[in-house]
Structure formats: C-alpha cells, structure tokens
C-alpha cells in the first residue's frame, strides 16, 4: 500500500488560516471549532480520505486496481444483461402470438389421450381352444336302409378374452364338423354368448350331427360314422328268416363255447315276409313244389302273428336256454322299417349280478 500523506489545508489569509487536520484533532493556533468530545466523535466516524494523488500508489498498483475494477464492471454488466434478456425473453414469448404452437401441442395431447382410451375400450378377438365333445341324446337315429344318421351333441370350447379389457359379445359363432377321411360335412352348430373381459370362459355349442341319405351303408362317410359311434368290442351277427332264435340254436352254442357272451340282442323288424304266415301255409307251399319229407309236416317255422309278442317269446327262450350263461344280458328290439327307421326296445332281461 502506498504511503499515506496527511493533507494539509490552509487558508490564504494568515490570521484566519486553519488546518483541517488540526481542526479535527483540536490542536494548533486555529482554535478548535468543536468541542473535544465532538471532535473525537467525528474523528472516529470519518473514513480516511481517498487516495487522490499518483504519489499515493505503489508501482503498478494503480493499473492493477483499474483493471480489476474494469473486470468487475464488465462481469456485473454481463450478469445484468443476462438477467434482462431472460426477463425480456419470457415476457416476450407470452406477448407474441403462439396459437399455432399451442394448437400443435393440443392436437398431440388429444391423440395421445385418444390412443390410450382406445387401447382399453376397443375389444380384441378372443382366443378359442377345444374343450370336449359329449352327447346325451337319448334318441339317436341311424338307418342302414336309407344310409342316414342323426343325433345331437354338445361341443365345449374355452374362450380366452384376457387380451380385452371390456366384455365381448359374440353375436354368432358357427361351427362346422367335417370328416377327415372323406371331407364330408357331418355336423353343424352355432351359439350366441357374452364373455367378460380379462377372463377364461367355457361355452357350449349345440351340434347336430347328421348325414345322408348315402348310396348305401357301405358309403365311406356313413361307414366311418357307424364305426366311430357304434358299440366298442367284438360282436357277431346271425341273420335268419323271421329273426327267430329257434333256428340259430347251434350258432349260439358255438359262440358260447368259443367266448364269453356279455349281451345277446334279438332284433325283428316290421313288414317281415313271415308276418301272418301260418305253419300250415308254409307246409302246403313246400308240398305244392314237391319239396319236403315226412318230417316237414311237424316243423315249426316260427310263424309271427304279433311282432311284440314274438320278440318277448324269443327273449324268454334265450334266457332259459342251456347254451346261454345266466350272466348274459338278453334284450329284444323291433326295427321300424316303415316310418322312422328306429330301434324300439321291447324287453330286456338282465343277467345275474348285472
């Protein structure tokens, strides 16, 4: 720091000359203008006089101080300018017309909101998986004469709506069933249902299986349906005139010896050629043709006067036959060839422990 020189101030007139320093210090011939206490107070409160002479600066100290002050002024002016520009920019942005930018942002926000809304409210196609197929039809119909079949079944499907947030209304769901071996359609069905969102639901589709008439019972489709829907296990068929069991005693004995018989079914049909043909009539026809011998006159051809009673008689005869096990079930049916083509049960005698 430069040496401090106490400045002296004198008046140009000798008698009234005074020293500022002496005045504050209450010294000298100038006579104090203030009391001692006042002078002491002023002395303590007054800052040292500024440096006004180049003699008061050290070497290079003035230039350094000038440069420092210049830098501080520039920094202050720069900070003030930045603050002013920011303030003017914010205020200016609001003062300008930005309707185009605001409209753009509003449109963007609208489409974002619309997309989110549609994501939750638009239904999605559900997934469908196979469940099971069952039938409780108590009256299925088949006919070898016309080569037709018909029965009802229920198809259970599993509908997966886990990808949809809203309930799904299935107005119509159609099912077509085709046979792989022939490509023929063998069943159809449809349903209407509502499936809750985010769920798995079992739905039942009623299916009507039907087909025909085909050329005959050997048709590929008809034969396949009989094979797949017919009884399981092995079975044999013995056919004779009138379907009377008295004429097949030897066949029944043979089968009983070769295997175990679980069931014997007697089937006679309407419009049979032996219906209402008497034994005497048949014997006469043989004699007129020169056929038969002395035993022919005693034959029982199994004449049929009452179809239901004929079936009941044959079931009873099988039940007491020595060639049929007591454990074997014996059933009797009539096949209606005139109208429905259906089997009608007449009588069933269950075996022991059945």
């Amino acid at each position: 720091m430069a040496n401090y020189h106490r400045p002296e101030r004198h008046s140009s007139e000798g008698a009234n000359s005074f020293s500022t320093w002496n005045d504050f210090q209450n010294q000298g011939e100038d006579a104090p203008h203030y009391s001692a206490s006042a002078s002491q107070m002023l002395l303590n409160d007054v800052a040292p006089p500024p440096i006004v002479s180049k003699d008061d600066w050290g070497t290079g100290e003035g230039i350094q101080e000038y440069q420092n002050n210049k830098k501080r002024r520039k920094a202050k002016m720069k900070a003030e300018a930045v603050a002013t520009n920011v303030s003017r920019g914010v205020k200016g942005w609001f003062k300008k017309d930005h309707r185009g930018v605001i409209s753009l942002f509003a449109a963007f926000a609208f489409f974002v909101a619309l997309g989110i809304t549609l994501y939750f409210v638009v239904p999605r196609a559900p997934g469908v998986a196979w469940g099971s197929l069952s039938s409780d039809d108590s009256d299925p119909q088949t006919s070898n004469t016309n080569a037709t079949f018909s029965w009802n079944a229920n198809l259970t499907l599993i509908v997966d709506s886990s990808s949809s947030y809203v309930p799904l209304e299935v107005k119509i769901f159609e099912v077509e069933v085709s046979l792989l071996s022939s490509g023929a359609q063998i069943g159809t069905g449809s349903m209407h249902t509502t499936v809750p969102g985010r769920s798995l639901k079992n739905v039942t589709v009623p299916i009507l299986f039907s087909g025909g008439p085909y050329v005959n019972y050997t048709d590929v489709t008809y034969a396949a349906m009989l094979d797949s829907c017919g009884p399981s296990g092995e079975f044999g068929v013995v056919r004779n005139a009138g379907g009377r069991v008295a004429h097949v005693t030897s066949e029944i004995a043979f089968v009983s010896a070769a295997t175990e018989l679980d069931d014997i079914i007697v089937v006679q049909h309407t419009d049979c050629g032996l219906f209402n043909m008497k034994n005497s009539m048949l014997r006469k026809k043989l004699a007129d043709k020169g056929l038969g011998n002395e035993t022919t006159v005693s034959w029982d051809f199994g004449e049929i006067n009452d179809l239901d009673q004929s079936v009941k008689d044959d079931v009873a005869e099988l039940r007491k036959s020595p060639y049929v096990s007591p454990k074997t079930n014996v059933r009797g049916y009539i096949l209606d060839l005139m109208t429905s083509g259906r089997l009608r049960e007449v009588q069933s005698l269950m075996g022991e422990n059945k």
Side-chain angles (χ1 to χ4, degrees):
M1 184 66 182
N3 295 328
Y4 175 71
H5 299 276
R6 184 172 61 243
E8 299 290 339
R9 183 181 180 186
H10 300 277
S11 64
S12 58
E13 298 179 0
N16 296 322
S17 65
F18 64 92
S19 169
T20 303
W21 177 259
N22 289 335
D23 181 59
F24 276 106
Q25 294 297 322
N26 200 21
Q27 297 177 359
E29 299 176 354
D30 297 326
H33 294 278
Y34 308 99
S35 63
S37 60
S39 299
Q40 185 64 38
M41 179 185 66
L42 291 174
L43 180 63
N44 293 335
D45 290 342
V46 175
I51 301 174
V52 296
S53 173
K54 64 180 182 178
D55 296 333
D56 295 328
W57 296 94
T59 303
E61 188 175 358
I63 296 175
Q64 183 65 38
E65 183 67 17
Y66 171 76
Q67 292 177 347
N68 290 340
N69 288 336
K70 186 176 181 180
K71 290 180 180 180
R72 284 193 291 270
R73 286 195 303 271
K74 286 184 177 181
K76 182 178 179 181
M77 291 173 64
K78 185 176 181 180
E80 291 176 350
V82 170
T84 301
N85 291 336
V86 171
S87 176
R88 289 177 178 175
V90 174
K91 293 179 180 179
W93 193 90
F94 283 103
K95 288 181 179 180
K96 292 181 180 180
D97 186 359
H98 295 284
R99 285 178 295 181
V101 178
I102 294 175
S103 299
L104 180 62
F105 276 104
F108 176 76
F110 170 77
F111 283 109
V112 170
L114 179 62
I116 295 174
T117 303
L118 293 178
Y119 177 81
F120 287 100
V121 302
V122 173
R124 296 166 178 80
V128 180
W130 177 275
S132 62
L133 180 65
S134 61
S135 176
D136 56 0
D137 192 341
S138 60
D139 190 25
Q141 300 181 26
T142 58
S143 173
N144 283 345
T145 302
N146 300 320
T148 60
F149 62 88
S150 176
W151 66 84
N152 294 304
N154 293 317
L155 173 63
T156 301
L157 300 175
I158 304 172
V159 180
D160 181 4
S161 63
S162 58
S163 63
S164 184
Y165 289 86
V166 294
L168 302 174
E169 181 183 5
V170 182
K171 293 185 177 181
I172 182 169
F173 188 93
E174 296 181 336
V175 176
E176 293 183 358
V177 184
S178 299
L179 188 65
L180 291 178
S181 60
S182 65
Q185 180 178 296
I186 58 175
T188 59
S190 63
M191 70 162 184
H192 171 273
T193 188
T194 299
V195 182
R198 311 288 290 176
S199 67
L200 291 174
K201 181 180 179 180
N202 292 339
V203 298
T204 300
V205 184
I207 302 293
L208 173 62
F209 285 93
S210 63
Y214 301 98
V215 176
N216 54 45
Y217 65 89
T218 63
D219 181 88
V220 174
T221 301
Y222 184 71
M225 294 304 296
L226 290 182
D227 290 343
S228 61
C229 301
S232 59
E234 296 182 358
F235 64 93
V237 178
V238 179
R239 302 185 65 177
N240 68 342
R244 304 307 303 268
V245 299
H247 303 156
V248 293
T249 302
S250 60
E251 286 85 351
I252 294 175
F254 173 78
V255 174
S256 295
T259 185
E260 293 291 334
L261 279 177
D262 294 324
D263 297 271
I264 298 178
I265 298 176
V266 178
V267 179
Q268 297 177 14
H269 62 84
T270 60
D271 196 30
C272 179
L274 287 179
F275 190 70
N276 287 330
M277 293 190 70
K278 305 298 183 180
N279 285 325
S280 59
M281 184 187 301
L282 293 173
R283 295 187 188 111
K284 183 177 184 305
K285 286 181 176 293
L286 286 174
D288 291 344
K289 294 180 179 182
L291 302 175
N293 55 29
E294 65 277 5
T295 62
T296 305
V297 295
S298 61
W299 274 9
D300 182 3
F301 290 92
E303 62 183 40
I304 301 174
N305 299 313
D306 185 326
L307 196 57
D308 283 52
Q309 188 59 49
S310 174
V311 172
K312 291 178 181 179
D313 291 343
D314 282 355
V315 169
E317 184 173 347
L318 285 171
R319 179 73 285 165
K320 65 182 181 181
S321 171
Y323 306 111
V324 176
S325 169
K327 297 180 179 181
T328 302
N329 300 321
V330 183
R331 297 184 172 93
Y333 292 85
I334 294 176
L335 176 60
D336 184 359
L337 297 180
M338 302 297 293
T339 56
S340 66
R342 295 165 49 190
L343 281 172
R344 177 173 60 86
E345 186 175 18
V346 177
Q347 187 178 27
S348 293
L349 298 178
M350 308 303 290
E352 296 178 0
N353 302 321
K354 295 296 181 83

